[in-house]
């Protein structure tokens, strides 16, 4: 039988419901998109939600239909009620982690940074942790602590909020607004085409993917499969999602990058999980040869060529040159790799206060 993750789901319901109401134009919270997203990741065997349910009478019916166990936290004064719910939820999660070895993944649905220590402890116990939160009410401390973090606002099936609140989140704002009395009601984005969300920079993503593949290849720990690559990208940025870049699946994203010659795809050990590599023996060797040729032309009679301004000289010969598409974070890193391969010699000159390159003999 194919292995599938067993998932325990814990909802800090007041945080989610109030976050959706306050940051999504008064829209009601809907549990179904979270359930659907988790169904794609494994089998949910525990579903618990914590709140004073006298304040969420309609929501109780919706959650009961989805087989969520409702944990009652009676009303108290101020922060004590909030702390009671948080502590109860944390204790139950830790207890379950020790008592149910077969549960491999814990889902913490809250944007509250108070759950960060719980996330760290669960991961210390070798549990995978997925966070879920409303983007506008999620602390910046929580997503990086998780293995994966899903913003409720971006889940498939979540209704699009009214236009005035749709672009309130910081990542989508493109500039200051002229209405100082309405800082969260940006009017300018309304001029964008209807139904279009501003996509993230695919070129920046291509650089990140190339660098990640290069790092995984350098670790000498087996082939780089698409599934392994995505897990690594999620470790770097738990909020990563290919849908934010306009792709339906991670495979579709990889095929696009392969068409752009950023990566190469080959048949992997499992169906639907291709092996990913950089076009190393093609573009990289050609780029090293280009560097050697330019250094040789500029440094006639054996004179060294300074690193500063050298990249522009390469682009005069090959306008589409980019070391980042080859998996290098900087032009200096690319030149060091070329020196390691023997294409050029590279040394630091205190007199010139720069790196100097010559063609290797």
């Amino acid at each position: 039988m194919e292995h599938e993750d067993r998932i325990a789901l814990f909802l800090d319901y007041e945080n989610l419901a109030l976050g959706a109401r306050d940051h999504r134009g008064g829209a009601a919270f809907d549990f179904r998109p979270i359930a659907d997203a988790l169904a794609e990741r494994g089998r949910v065997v525990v579903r618990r939600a914590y709140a004073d349910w006298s304040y969420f009478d309609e929501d109780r019916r919706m959650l009961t239909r989805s087989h969520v166990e409702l944990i009652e936290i009676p009303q108290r004064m101020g922060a004590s009620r909030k702390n009671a719910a948080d502590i109860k939820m944390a204790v139950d999660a830790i207890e379950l982690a020790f008592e149910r070895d077969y549960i491999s993944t814990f889902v913490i649905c809250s944007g509250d940074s108070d759950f960060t220590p719980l996330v760290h402890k669960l991961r210390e116990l070798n549990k995978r942790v997925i966070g879920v939160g409303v983007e506008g009410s999620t602390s910046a401390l929580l997503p990086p602590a998780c293995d994966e973090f899903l913003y409720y606002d971006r889940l498939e099936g979540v209704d699009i909020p009214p236009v005035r609140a749709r672009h309130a989140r910081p990542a989508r704002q493109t500039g200051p607004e002229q209405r100082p009395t309405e800082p969260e009601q940006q009017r300018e984005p309304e001029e964008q085409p209807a139904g279009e969300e501003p996509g993230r920079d695919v070129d920046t993503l291509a650089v990140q993917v190339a660098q990640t593949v290069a790092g995984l290849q350098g670790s000498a720990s087996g082939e780089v499969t698409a599934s392994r690559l995505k897990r690594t990208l999620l470790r770097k940025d738990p909020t990563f999602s290919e849908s934010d870049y306009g792709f339906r699946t991670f495979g579709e994203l990889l095929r696009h990058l392969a068409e752009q010659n950023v990566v190469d795809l080959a048949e992997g050990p499992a169906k639907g999980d291709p092996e990913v590599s950089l076009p190393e023996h093609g573009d990289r060797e050609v780029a090293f040869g280009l560097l050697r040729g330019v250094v040789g032309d500029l440094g006639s009679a054996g004179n060294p060529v300074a690193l500063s301004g050298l990249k522009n000289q390469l682009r005069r010969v090959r306008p589409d040159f980019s070391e980042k598409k080859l998996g290098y974070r900087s032009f200096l890193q690319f030149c060091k790799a070329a020196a390691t391969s023997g294409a050029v010699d590279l040394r630091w000159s205190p007199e010139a206060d720069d790196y100097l390159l010559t063609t290797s003999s």
Side-chain angles (χ1 to χ4, degrees), residues 58 81 85 112 127 157 214 248 260 313 345:
E58 291 297 324
R81 175 172 56 88
D112 194 340
K127 305 298 184 182
R248 292 171 297 178
Q260 302 300 313
Q313 298 296 328
D345 288 329

Side-chain angles (χ1 to χ4, degrees), residues 186-202:
Q186 300 288 343
R187 304 292 184 181
E188 191 172 321
E190 294 181 26
E191 299 175 3
Q192 296 174 356
E196 291 289 333
E197 287 263 359
R200 295 189 176 184
D201 188 358
V202 179

